[in-house]
């Protein structure tokens, strides 16, 4: 592999695109709202079509987060796979699986945002970013930005892993 940096850049761009599409277009409204639900912090969901209200706890929160992470990772796989093929990049199957596993696992860990117990909130608090995490004013949402930065960082790690044994066609 003589062009590993180029393959890395291509795979990172493709997985970033897959991430954005998976997070904002593919993720259902239900998953987005319920994935942080817990028995201690239940979420009431109002169905936009029927206006029916339902309340959800830990089991539903975990299931919504799992569903979101599965569709998110599948979107990344489809976009990165199709893009790599179009660019003439052959990704080793084990490297692709490891990269997607990193993306899935770290995405679930970040998106299971149970108030006071979520991984990102804990990290933000311990690193002095707790105030920024809770910021939801001035057109900003600190939790969203820290979540995005977390995902971008792990997608970079995943793209490095995906280049392992990659070749050009």
């Amino acid at each position: 592999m003589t062009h590993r940096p180029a393959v890395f850049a291509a795979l990172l761009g493709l997985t970033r695109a897959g991430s954005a599409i998976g997070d904002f277009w593919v993720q259902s409204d239900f998953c987005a709202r319920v994935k942080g639900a817990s028995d201690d912090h239940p979420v009431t969901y109002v169905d936009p079509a029927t206006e029916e209200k339902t309340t959800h706890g830990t089991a539903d929160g975990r299931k919504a987060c799992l569903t979101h992470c599965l569709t998110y990772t599948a979107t990344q796989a489809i976009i990165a796979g199709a893009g790599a093929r179009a660019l003439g990049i052959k990704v080793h199957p084990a490297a692709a699986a490891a990269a997607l596993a990193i993306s899935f696992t770290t995405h679930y860990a970040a998106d299971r945002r149970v108030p006071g117990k979520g991984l990102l909130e804990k990290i933000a608090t311990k690193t002095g970013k707790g105030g920024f995490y809770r910021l939801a004013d001035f057109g900003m949402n600190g939790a969203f930005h820290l979540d995005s930065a977390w995902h971008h960082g792990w997608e970079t790690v995943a793209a490095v892993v995906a280049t392992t044994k990659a070749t050009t066609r």
Side-chain angles (χ1 to χ4, degrees), residues 22-110:
D23 246 354
F24 303 118
W25 287 99
V26 175
Q27 180 176 204
S28 72
D29 182 61
F30 178 83
C31 287
R33 293 178 187 274
V34 175
K35 66 187 176 186
S38 71
D39 293 341
D40 294 337
H41 294 90
V43 171
T44 299
Y45 178 75
V46 180
D47 186 299
T50 65
E51 297 185 12
E52 176 186 356
K53 291 182 181 182
T54 52
T55 302
H56 304 275
T58 301
D60 290 337
R62 289 177 179 156
K63 183 178 177 184
C65 195
L66 178 64
T67 299
H68 164 55
C69 290
L70 288 169
T71 60
Y72 168 91
T73 306
T75 302
Q76 279 188 316
I78 291 165
I79 290 174
R85 184 161 181 82
L87 294 170
I89 300 168
K90 186 175 181 184
V91 179
H92 191 278
L100 291 168
I102 289 167
S103 183
F104 174 88
T105 304
T106 60
H107 202 88
Y108 185 93

Side-chain angles (χ1 to χ4, degrees), residues 121 123-134 146:
E121 184 178 2
I123 292 171
T125 300
K126 287 185 182 194
T127 60
K129 296 288 183 187
F132 183 67
Y133 182 87
R134 291 181 292 281
L146 291 173

